[in-house]
Amino acid sequence: MPRICVFDVNETLLDLRALDPHFERAFGDAHVRQAWFSQLLQTAFVSTITDNYKDFGTIGATALDMIATRRGVTLSQQDRTSILQGMRKLPPHPDVRDGLERLRNAGLRLVTLTNSTEQVAQEQIKHAGLSEYFERIFSADTVRRLKPAPEPYRMVAGRLGVDIGQTRLIAAHSWDIAGALHAGCATAFIHRTGMVLDPLFERPDVVGADLHEVADRILEKEGM
Amino acid sequence: MPRICVFDVNETLLDLRALDPHFERAFGDAHVRQAWFSQLLQTAFVSTITDNYKDFGTIGATALDMIATRRGVTLSQQDRTSILQGMRKLPPHPDVRDGLERLRNAGLRLVTLTNSTEQVAQEQIKHAGLSEYFERIFSADTVRRLKPAPEPYRMVAGRLGVDIGQTRLIAAHSWDIAGALHAGCATAFIHRTGMVLDPLFERPDVVGADLHEVADRILEKEGM
């Protein structure tokens, strides 16, 4: 049986750069988007380490306020809303549709697993026009532990009724790959612009510049 | 018995801005220092969540390489060394010596707890001229779990032979405060430039703009 492909969503399938104009308007600097996402992840990881679960949307909103305070910027309600609601309406990266098509047509089973709540994830995938490719949309929120903790990856395997080694997590984030490998998944890294693998962690057996390359290598690995 | 004061070191006592000229020279932008420290913390937190311990120096060196790759910059061996060795030679913030003096003269016991290895921590405190204030220098490396995991905070209390509630962690980082509170310590936050408390976590009972203010409030809390 070929492994089930488990896709991360934000930055892996969907392009956060669509938020840049909102950050440009609110902070006068589009690069603040990266600082925000980085603060969001920091808070998420600390909440995991200290067993203090908060949902990803709440963390995202708080991280935005922290970045604004840190930079001495007062965010209007409109700026805040356009960024936070914008997360639900991100476009897919240009290689995503073809890559998913290719994997599905080869007969692979595809699902998603995100730190966003299930409601947000459903909305994101639907708005990006990708619903037809995925048999299930999973959220870490269901087990109240965010990736890269092992519980969300295990939950996906459990719900699909397969051994965790029969899943492959596909992500553009080194930390997501590290968490999935630790939990026992196979992995694949999409080397999107500005993303790098952390050499301190085990290396995924599939690495590619986009989902075209990654899909090719996954099909090879699965002997298809 | 008044609580024992447990000081975080990097950014709390010592000023990382001393590294800015090295980042300016290596990357053409001193702000990369913050991006580096943020990547360092991200890797540290992921290594904790995935039970893959690496010492803080190794993580710091790797994070520097990741930031360079991400920005398409080739670091010379000299740039790399001046940043990483520079961590051992940071100056104290200007309020630190007076604040420590005040707490010590009031009769409080003072120690440090850092994610740096013990050897680096010893060197840092000595170079900053602060050795006389601290009865012990502790490193999370000893228990091979980095802050904000509970083990380092518990180790300090254990080694000092006191209940964990008899220690107070003093830091300029919201994540360190969150970890200490989770472990059972009292805490104090120093509101250094650009640092903000995370409103999603419990609030420390002592907050101040610098170690003068924080020392005043600690002495009040301890009834001294």
Side-chain angles (χ1 to χ4, degrees), chain A residues 70-112:
Chain A
R70 191 169 278 176
R71 296 185 171 242
V73 167
T74 308
L75 283 181
S76 70
Q77 195 52 48
Q78 200 193 331
D79 287 335
R80 219 167 165 269
T81 306
S82 57
I83 291 168
L84 299 174
Q85 290 301 311
M87 278 297 281
R88 297 172 184 239
K89 292 171 185 164
L90 299 170
H93 285 287
D95 51 298
V96 162
R97 181 172 282 277
D98 285 357
L100 293 176
E101 188 91 29
R102 181 102 204 276
L103 292 166
R104 184 189 56 172
N105 290 348
L108 290 184
R109 296 173 66 184
L110 315 182
V111 303
T112 65

mmCIF file of all heavy atoms in Angstrom, chain A residues 70-112:
data_model
loop_
_atom_site.group_PDB
_atom_site.id
_atom_site.type_symbol
_atom_site.label_atom_id
_atom_site.label_comp_id
_atom_site.label_asym_id
_atom_site.label_seq_id
_atom_site.Cartn_x
_atom_site.Cartn_y
_atom_site.Cartn_z
ATOM 1 N N ARG A 70 5.437 45.907 20.010
ATOM 2 C CA ARG A 70 6.892 45.897 19.879
ATOM 3 C C ARG A 70 7.381 46.987 18.932
ATOM 4 O O ARG A 70 8.456 47.541 19.104
ATOM 5 C CB ARG A 70 7.275 44.507 19.353
ATOM 6 C CG ARG A 70 8.702 44.179 19.379
ATOM 7 C CD ARG A 70 8.897 42.699 19.084
ATOM 8 N NE ARG A 70 8.684 41.890 20.267
ATOM 9 C CZ ARG A 70 8.726 40.548 20.271
ATOM 10 N NH1 ARG A 70 8.938 39.885 19.162
ATOM 11 N NH2 ARG A 70 8.561 39.896 21.394
ATOM 12 N N ARG A 71 6.590 47.283 17.905
ATOM 13 C CA ARG A 71 7.010 48.265 16.915
ATOM 14 C C ARG A 71 6.378 49.636 17.146
ATOM 15 O O ARG A 71 6.553 50.547 16.324
ATOM 16 C CB ARG A 71 6.670 47.778 15.512
ATOM 17 C CG ARG A 71 7.449 46.525 15.184
ATOM 18 C CD ARG A 71 7.277 46.038 13.789
ATOM 19 N NE ARG A 71 8.233 44.969 13.545
ATOM 20 C CZ ARG A 71 9.194 45.009 12.641
ATOM 21 N NH1 ARG A 71 9.351 46.066 11.873
ATOM 22 N NH2 ARG A 71 10.026 43.982 12.504
ATOM 23 N N GLY A 72 5.634 49.750 18.245
ATOM 24 C CA GLY A 72 5.015 51.042 18.549
ATOM 25 C C GLY A 72 3.979 51.460 17.520
ATOM 26 O O GLY A 72 3.800 52.645 17.246
ATOM 27 N N VAL A 73 3.294 50.479 16.919
ATOM 28 C CA VAL A 73 2.286 50.775 15.900
ATOM 29 C C VAL A 73 0.902 50.508 16.496
ATOM 30 O O VAL A 73 0.691 49.509 17.173
ATOM 31 C CB VAL A 73 2.497 49.866 14.659
ATOM 32 C CG1 VAL A 73 1.289 49.912 13.724
ATOM 33 C CG2 VAL A 73 3.764 50.262 13.925
ATOM 34 N N THR A 74 -0.045 51.430 16.273
ATOM 35 C CA THR A 74 -1.420 51.175 16.689
ATOM 36 C C THR A 74 -2.182 50.644 15.483
ATOM 37 O O THR A 74 -2.301 51.322 14.464
ATOM 38 C CB THR A 74 -2.093 52.471 17.202
ATOM 39 O OG1 THR A 74 -1.238 53.053 18.189
ATOM 40 C CG2 THR A 74 -3.453 52.172 17.822
ATOM 41 N N LEU A 75 -2.671 49.427 15.585
ATOM 42 C CA LEU A 75 -3.394 48.812 14.473
ATOM 43 C C LEU A 75 -4.851 49.240 14.498
ATOM 44 O O LEU A 75 -5.504 49.160 15.531
ATOM 45 C CB LEU A 75 -3.356 47.288 14.595
ATOM 46 C CG LEU A 75 -2.085 46.562 14.210
ATOM 47 C CD1 LEU A 75 -2.285 45.065 14.380
ATOM 48 C CD2 LEU A 75 -1.687 46.878 12.777
ATOM 49 N N SER A 76 -5.346 49.665 13.342
ATOM 50 C CA SER A 76 -6.789 49.929 13.261
ATOM 51 C C SER A 76 -7.519 48.587 13.235
ATOM 52 O O SER A 76 -6.942 47.555 12.890
ATOM 53 C CB SER A 76 -7.110 50.720 11.988
ATOM 54 O OG SER A 76 -6.939 49.888 10.860
ATOM 55 N N GLN A 77 -8.810 48.625 13.607
ATOM 56 C CA GLN A 77 -9.602 47.397 13.588
ATOM 57 C C GLN A 77 -9.623 46.826 12.173
ATOM 58 O O GLN A 77 -9.579 45.612 11.976
ATOM 59 C CB GLN A 77 -11.023 47.699 14.096
ATOM 60 C CG GLN A 77 -11.827 46.466 14.460
ATOM 61 C CD GLN A 77 -11.084 45.515 15.424
ATOM 62 O OE1 GLN A 77 -10.536 45.947 16.426
ATOM 63 N NE2 GLN A 77 -11.021 44.230 15.094
ATOM 64 N N GLN A 78 -9.616 47.721 11.191
ATOM 65 C CA GLN A 78 -9.673 47.272 9.797
ATOM 66 C C GLN A 78 -8.388 46.544 9.386
ATOM 67 O O GLN A 78 -8.442 45.522 8.701
ATOM 68 C CB GLN A 78 -9.909 48.489 8.904
ATOM 69 C CG GLN A 78 -10.450 48.118 7.528
ATOM 70 C CD GLN A 78 -10.389 49.290 6.563
ATOM 71 O OE1 GLN A 78 -10.470 50.455 6.994
ATOM 72 N NE2 GLN A 78 -10.234 48.998 5.282
ATOM 73 N N ASP A 79 -7.229 47.079 9.803
ATOM 74 C CA ASP A 79 -5.951 46.414 9.493
ATOM 75 C C ASP A 79 -5.917 45.022 10.121
ATOM 76 O O ASP A 79 -5.509 44.044 9.495
ATOM 77 C CB ASP A 79 -4.774 47.228 10.053
ATOM 78 C CG ASP A 79 -4.521 48.503 9.261
ATOM 79 O OD1 ASP A 79 -4.886 48.538 8.070
ATOM 80 O OD2 ASP A 79 -3.960 49.452 9.838
ATOM 81 N N ARG A 80 -6.336 44.966 11.365
ATOM 82 C CA ARG A 80 -6.344 43.712 12.108
ATOM 83 C C ARG A 80 -7.227 42.678 11.399
ATOM 84 O O ARG A 80 -6.832 41.547 11.160
ATOM 85 C CB ARG A 80 -6.900 43.998 13.505
ATOM 86 C CG ARG A 80 -6.216 43.258 14.601
ATOM 87 C CD ARG A 80 -6.581 43.809 15.965
ATOM 88 N NE ARG A 80 -6.176 42.822 16.961
ATOM 89 C CZ ARG A 80 -6.959 41.855 17.399
ATOM 90 N NH1 ARG A 80 -8.195 41.746 16.980
ATOM 91 N NH2 ARG A 80 -6.482 40.988 18.278
ATOM 92 N N THR A 81 -8.418 43.120 11.054
ATOM 93 C CA THR A 81 -9.367 42.216 10.398
ATOM 94 C C THR A 81 -8.866 41.779 9.027
ATOM 95 O O THR A 81 -8.979 40.616 8.657
ATOM 96 C CB THR A 81 -10.744 42.909 10.239
ATOM 97 O OG1 THR A 81 -11.149 43.370 11.531
ATOM 98 C CG2 THR A 81 -11.783 41.960 9.696
ATOM 99 N N SER A 82 -8.274 42.715 8.280
ATOM 100 C CA SER A 82 -7.873 42.329 6.921
ATOM 101 C C SER A 82 -6.747 41.296 6.969
ATOM 102 O O SER A 82 -6.676 40.417 6.119
ATOM 103 C CB SER A 82 -7.494 43.554 6.082
ATOM 104 O OG SER A 82 -6.465 44.279 6.688
ATOM 105 N N ILE A 83 -5.891 41.372 7.978
ATOM 106 C CA ILE A 83 -4.822 40.366 8.106
ATOM 107 C C ILE A 83 -5.412 39.035 8.583
ATOM 108 O O ILE A 83 -5.200 37.984 7.972
ATOM 109 C CB ILE A 83 -3.722 40.847 9.072
ATOM 110 C CG1 ILE A 83 -2.950 42.008 8.438
ATOM 111 C CG2 ILE A 83 -2.780 39.696 9.439
ATOM 112 C CD1 ILE A 83 -2.032 42.775 9.387
ATOM 113 N N LEU A 84 -6.167 39.074 9.672
ATOM 114 C CA LEU A 84 -6.645 37.823 10.270
ATOM 115 C C LEU A 84 -7.689 37.129 9.382
ATOM 116 O O LEU A 84 -7.669 35.910 9.232
ATOM 117 C CB LEU A 84 -7.173 38.073 11.684
ATOM 118 C CG LEU A 84 -6.095 38.630 12.649
ATOM 119 C CD1 LEU A 84 -6.713 38.997 13.997
ATOM 120 C CD2 LEU A 84 -4.951 37.629 12.844
ATOM 121 N N GLN A 85 -8.563 37.918 8.761
ATOM 122 C CA GLN A 85 -9.530 37.307 7.839
ATOM 123 C C GLN A 85 -8.834 36.889 6.538
ATOM 124 O O GLN A 85 -9.234 35.927 5.885
ATOM 125 C CB GLN A 85 -10.685 38.272 7.531
ATOM 126 C CG GLN A 85 -11.606 38.497 8.715
ATOM 127 C CD GLN A 85 -12.228 37.213 9.224
ATOM 128 O OE1 GLN A 85 -12.761 36.431 8.448
ATOM 129 N NE2 GLN A 85 -12.134 36.968 10.526
ATOM 130 N N GLY A 86 -7.774 37.629 6.201
ATOM 131 C CA GLY A 86 -7.017 37.296 4.988
ATOM 132 C C GLY A 86 -6.433 35.899 5.037
ATOM 133 O O GLY A 86 -6.256 35.244 3.997
ATOM 134 N N MET A 87 -6.130 35.406 6.243
ATOM 135 C CA MET A 87 -5.622 34.042 6.407
ATOM 136 C C MET A 87 -6.594 32.990 5.860
ATOM 137 O O MET A 87 -6.198 31.886 5.509
ATOM 138 C CB MET A 87 -5.390 33.732 7.898
ATOM 139 C CG MET A 87 -4.088 34.225 8.463
ATOM 140 S SD MET A 87 -2.632 33.467 7.709
ATOM 141 C CE MET A 87 -2.560 31.857 8.543
ATOM 142 N N ARG A 88 -7.868 33.335 5.827
ATOM 143 C CA ARG A 88 -8.877 32.375 5.359
ATOM 144 C C ARG A 88 -9.034 32.386 3.845
ATOM 145 O O ARG A 88 -9.752 31.569 3.284
ATOM 146 C CB ARG A 88 -10.239 32.705 6.003
ATOM 147 C CG ARG A 88 -10.226 32.574 7.517
ATOM 148 C CD ARG A 88 -11.532 33.093 8.131
ATOM 149 N NE ARG A 88 -11.444 33.047 9.579
ATOM 150 C CZ ARG A 88 -12.284 32.351 10.366
ATOM 151 N NH1 ARG A 88 -13.271 31.670 9.830
ATOM 152 N NH2 ARG A 88 -12.125 32.353 11.674
ATOM 153 N N LYS A 89 -8.394 33.346 3.210
ATOM 154 C CA LYS A 89 -8.616 33.537 1.761
ATOM 155 C C LYS A 89 -7.313 33.568 0.990
ATOM 156 O O LYS A 89 -7.115 34.389 0.089
ATOM 157 C CB LYS A 89 -9.381 34.845 1.546
ATOM 158 C CG LYS A 89 -10.794 34.773 2.074
ATOM 159 C CD LYS A 89 -11.482 36.117 2.059
ATOM 160 C CE LYS A 89 -12.847 35.995 2.718
ATOM 161 N NZ LYS A 89 -13.438 37.285 3.080
ATOM 162 N N LEU A 90 -6.376 32.698 1.380
ATOM 163 C CA LEU A 90 -5.067 32.690 0.725
ATOM 164 C C LEU A 90 -5.133 31.912 -0.593
ATOM 165 O O LEU A 90 -5.818 30.890 -0.677
ATOM 166 C CB LEU A 90 -4.036 32.038 1.644
ATOM 167 C CG LEU A 90 -3.804 32.721 2.991
ATOM 168 C CD1 LEU A 90 -2.946 31.827 3.887
ATOM 169 C CD2 LEU A 90 -3.139 34.088 2.797
ATOM 170 N N PRO A 91 -4.414 32.387 -1.613
ATOM 171 C CA PRO A 91 -4.369 31.645 -2.875
ATOM 172 C C PRO A 91 -3.387 30.481 -2.771
ATOM 173 O O PRO A 91 -2.432 30.525 -1.985
ATOM 174 C CB PRO A 91 -3.834 32.694 -3.860
ATOM 175 C CG PRO A 91 -2.955 33.583 -3.019
ATOM 176 C CD PRO A 91 -3.599 33.615 -1.644
ATOM 177 N N PRO A 92 -3.583 29.413 -3.565
ATOM 178 C CA PRO A 92 -2.583 28.335 -3.576
ATOM 179 C C PRO A 92 -1.326 28.800 -4.318
ATOM 180 O O PRO A 92 -1.403 29.657 -5.191
ATOM 181 C CB PRO A 92 -3.279 27.220 -4.354
ATOM 182 C CG PRO A 92 -4.344 27.880 -5.160
ATOM 183 C CD PRO A 92 -4.718 29.153 -4.463
ATOM 184 N N HIS A 93 -0.171 28.236 -3.946
ATOM 185 C CA HIS A 93 1.035 28.449 -4.765
ATOM 186 C C HIS A 93 0.746 27.907 -6.169
ATOM 187 O O HIS A 93 -0.033 26.959 -6.327
ATOM 188 C CB HIS A 93 2.223 27.697 -4.152
ATOM 189 C CG HIS A 93 2.780 28.353 -2.926
ATOM 190 N ND1 HIS A 93 3.529 29.512 -2.962
ATOM 191 C CD2 HIS A 93 2.701 28.006 -1.616
ATOM 192 C CE1 HIS A 93 3.887 29.847 -1.734
ATOM 193 N NE2 HIS A 93 3.396 28.954 -0.897
ATOM 194 N N PRO A 94 1.393 28.485 -7.211
ATOM 195 C CA PRO A 94 1.049 28.134 -8.598
ATOM 196 C C PRO A 94 1.276 26.662 -8.964
ATOM 197 O O PRO A 94 0.627 26.146 -9.877
ATOM 198 C CB PRO A 94 1.956 29.051 -9.438
ATOM 199 C CG PRO A 94 2.960 29.615 -8.498
ATOM 200 C CD PRO A 94 2.358 29.582 -7.139
ATOM 201 N N ASP A 95 2.152 25.962 -8.259
ATOM 202 C CA ASP A 95 2.460 24.565 -8.585
ATOM 203 C C ASP A 95 1.516 23.570 -7.894
ATOM 204 O O ASP A 95 1.580 22.361 -8.159
ATOM 205 C CB ASP A 95 3.893 24.249 -8.142
ATOM 206 C CG ASP A 95 4.131 24.667 -6.690
ATOM 207 O OD1 ASP A 95 4.025 25.878 -6.402
ATOM 208 O OD2 ASP A 95 4.389 23.804 -5.831
ATOM 209 N N VAL A 96 0.647 24.074 -7.013
ATOM 210 C CA VAL A 96 -0.089 23.178 -6.121
ATOM 211 C C VAL A 96 -1.139 22.332 -6.839
ATOM 212 O O VAL A 96 -1.205 21.105 -6.682
ATOM 213 C CB VAL A 96 -0.709 23.986 -4.955
ATOM 214 C CG1 VAL A 96 -1.816 23.209 -4.258
ATOM 215 C CG2 VAL A 96 0.392 24.350 -3.948
ATOM 216 N N ARG A 97 -1.955 22.988 -7.670
ATOM 217 C CA ARG A 97 -3.055 22.264 -8.317
ATOM 218 C C ARG A 97 -2.519 21.110 -9.184
ATOM 219 O O ARG A 97 -2.976 19.967 -9.063
ATOM 220 C CB ARG A 97 -3.893 23.246 -9.143
ATOM 221 C CG ARG A 97 -5.077 22.616 -9.847
ATOM 222 C CD ARG A 97 -5.963 23.680 -10.479
ATOM 223 N NE ARG A 97 -6.788 24.320 -9.466
ATOM 224 C CZ ARG A 97 -7.943 23.810 -9.014
ATOM 225 N NH1 ARG A 97 -8.395 22.657 -9.494
ATOM 226 N NH2 ARG A 97 -8.648 24.436 -8.112
ATOM 227 N N ASP A 98 -1.542 21.408 -10.030
ATOM 228 C CA ASP A 98 -0.955 20.363 -10.896
ATOM 229 C C ASP A 98 -0.357 19.226 -10.079
ATOM 230 O O ASP A 98 -0.510 18.054 -10.416
ATOM 231 C CB ASP A 98 0.173 20.941 -11.755
ATOM 232 C CG ASP A 98 -0.362 21.778 -12.895
ATOM 233 O OD1 ASP A 98 -1.595 21.864 -13.037
ATOM 234 O OD2 ASP A 98 0.465 22.353 -13.629
ATOM 235 N N GLY A 99 0.360 19.592 -9.009
ATOM 236 C CA GLY A 99 1.017 18.584 -8.186
ATOM 237 C C GLY A 99 0.008 17.649 -7.529
ATOM 238 O O GLY A 99 0.172 16.422 -7.520
ATOM 239 N N LEU A 100 -1.063 18.233 -7.003
ATOM 240 C CA LEU A 100 -2.096 17.430 -6.346
ATOM 241 C C LEU A 100 -2.795 16.525 -7.368
ATOM 242 O O LEU A 100 -3.058 15.350 -7.116
ATOM 243 C CB LEU A 100 -3.121 18.347 -5.662
ATOM 244 C CG LEU A 100 -2.622 19.175 -4.464
ATOM 245 C CD1 LEU A 100 -3.727 20.106 -3.971
ATOM 246 C CD2 LEU A 100 -2.134 18.279 -3.326
ATOM 247 N N GLU A 101 -3.064 17.102 -8.516
ATOM 248 C CA GLU A 101 -3.707 16.378 -9.621
ATOM 249 C C GLU A 101 -2.895 15.122 -9.963
ATOM 250 O O GLU A 101 -3.430 14.024 -10.104
ATOM 251 C CB GLU A 101 -3.732 17.331 -10.838
ATOM 252 C CG GLU A 101 -4.517 16.840 -12.022
ATOM 253 C CD GLU A 101 -5.986 17.284 -11.976
ATOM 254 O OE1 GLU A 101 -6.267 18.345 -11.393
ATOM 255 O OE2 GLU A 101 -6.833 16.538 -12.501
ATOM 256 N N ARG A 102 -1.614 15.327 -10.096
ATOM 257 C CA ARG A 102 -0.689 14.258 -10.453
ATOM 258 C C ARG A 102 -0.714 13.129 -9.412
ATOM 259 O O ARG A 102 -0.792 11.961 -9.778
ATOM 260 C CB ARG A 102 0.700 14.935 -10.477
ATOM 261 C CG ARG A 102 1.868 14.115 -10.834
ATOM 262 C CD ARG A 102 2.304 14.346 -12.264
ATOM 263 N NE ARG A 102 3.033 13.136 -12.656
ATOM 264 C CZ ARG A 102 4.306 12.922 -12.405
ATOM 265 N NH1 ARG A 102 5.048 13.869 -11.853
ATOM 266 N NH2 ARG A 102 4.871 11.769 -12.739
ATOM 267 N N LEU A 103 -0.655 13.510 -8.140
ATOM 268 C CA LEU A 103 -0.644 12.505 -7.065
ATOM 269 C C LEU A 103 -1.984 11.774 -7.013
ATOM 270 O O LEU A 103 -2.039 10.547 -6.863
ATOM 271 C CB LEU A 103 -0.350 13.173 -5.716
ATOM 272 C CG LEU A 103 1.073 13.741 -5.560
ATOM 273 C CD1 LEU A 103 1.153 14.677 -4.347
ATOM 274 C CD2 LEU A 103 2.105 12.609 -5.418
ATOM 275 N N ARG A 104 -3.063 12.517 -7.141
ATOM 276 C CA ARG A 104 -4.381 11.895 -7.076
ATOM 277 C C ARG A 104 -4.605 10.955 -8.259
ATOM 278 O O ARG A 104 -5.088 9.838 -8.109
ATOM 279 C CB ARG A 104 -5.478 12.961 -7.053
ATOM 280 C CG ARG A 104 -6.850 12.338 -6.890
ATOM 281 C CD ARG A 104 -7.959 13.340 -7.070
ATOM 282 N NE ARG A 104 -7.875 14.031 -8.355
ATOM 283 C CZ ARG A 104 -8.805 14.851 -8.822
ATOM 284 N NH1 ARG A 104 -9.872 15.112 -8.090
ATOM 285 N NH2 ARG A 104 -8.672 15.443 -9.989
ATOM 286 N N ASN A 105 -4.211 11.420 -9.451
ATOM 287 C CA ASN A 105 -4.412 10.585 -10.644
ATOM 288 C C ASN A 105 -3.602 9.301 -10.595
ATOM 289 O O ASN A 105 -3.961 8.310 -11.206
ATOM 290 C CB ASN A 105 -4.095 11.376 -11.917
ATOM 291 C CG ASN A 105 -5.142 12.449 -12.181
ATOM 292 O OD1 ASN A 105 -6.200 12.452 -11.538
ATOM 293 N ND2 ASN A 105 -4.860 13.346 -13.105
ATOM 294 N N ALA A 106 -2.487 9.347 -9.832
ATOM 295 C CA ALA A 106 -1.687 8.124 -9.669
ATOM 296 C C ALA A 106 -2.352 7.176 -8.663
ATOM 297 O O ALA A 106 -1.889 6.054 -8.464
ATOM 298 C CB ALA A 106 -0.283 8.483 -9.210
ATOM 299 N N GLY A 107 -3.402 7.642 -8.033
ATOM 300 C CA GLY A 107 -4.148 6.771 -7.127
ATOM 301 C C GLY A 107 -3.813 6.947 -5.655
ATOM 302 O O GLY A 107 -4.268 6.159 -4.812
ATOM 303 N N LEU A 108 -3.016 7.977 -5.323
ATOM 304 C CA LEU A 108 -2.678 8.191 -3.910
ATOM 305 C C LEU A 108 -3.839 8.839 -3.155
ATOM 306 O O LEU A 108 -4.618 9.597 -3.721
ATOM 307 C CB LEU A 108 -1.432 9.071 -3.795
ATOM 308 C CG LEU A 108 -0.119 8.431 -4.239
ATOM 309 C CD1 LEU A 108 1.041 9.382 -3.988
ATOM 310 C CD2 LEU A 108 0.128 7.119 -3.501
ATOM 311 N N ARG A 109 -3.915 8.528 -1.855
ATOM 312 C CA ARG A 109 -4.904 9.180 -0.997
ATOM 313 C C ARG A 109 -4.281 10.450 -0.426
ATOM 314 O O ARG A 109 -3.153 10.432 0.068
ATOM 315 C CB ARG A 109 -5.311 8.255 0.153
ATOM 316 C CG ARG A 109 -6.011 6.995 -0.340
ATOM 317 C CD ARG A 109 -6.237 6.029 0.814
ATOM 318 N NE ARG A 109 -7.181 6.566 1.813
ATOM 319 C CZ ARG A 109 -7.477 5.936 2.953
ATOM 320 N NH1 ARG A 109 -6.858 4.789 3.258
ATOM 321 N NH2 ARG A 109 -8.337 6.452 3.790
ATOM 322 N N LEU A 110 -5.011 11.566 -0.474
ATOM 323 C CA LEU A 110 -4.495 12.860 -0.009
ATOM 324 C C LEU A 110 -5.393 13.429 1.092
ATOM 325 O O LEU A 110 -6.620 13.434 0.953
ATOM 326 C CB LEU A 110 -4.448 13.875 -1.161
ATOM 327 C CG LEU A 110 -3.894 13.443 -2.523
ATOM 328 C CD1 LEU A 110 -3.907 14.628 -3.493
ATOM 329 C CD2 LEU A 110 -2.470 12.899 -2.397
ATOM 330 N N VAL A 111 -4.767 13.914 2.173
ATOM 331 C CA VAL A 111 -5.492 14.620 3.240
ATOM 332 C C VAL A 111 -4.667 15.850 3.643
ATOM 333 O O VAL A 111 -3.522 15.999 3.207
ATOM 334 C CB VAL A 111 -5.717 13.718 4.493
ATOM 335 C CG1 VAL A 111 -6.458 12.436 4.113
ATOM 336 C CG2 VAL A 111 -4.394 13.383 5.174
ATOM 337 N N THR A 112 -5.241 16.723 4.451
ATOM 338 C CA THR A 112 -4.468 17.849 4.991
ATOM 339 C C THR A 112 -4.398 17.732 6.516
ATOM 340 O O THR A 112 -5.264 17.115 7.139
ATOM 341 C CB THR A 112 -5.097 19.225 4.663
ATOM 342 O OG1 THR A 112 -6.355 19.324 5.326
ATOM 343 C CG2 THR A 112 -5.283 19.407 3.166
#
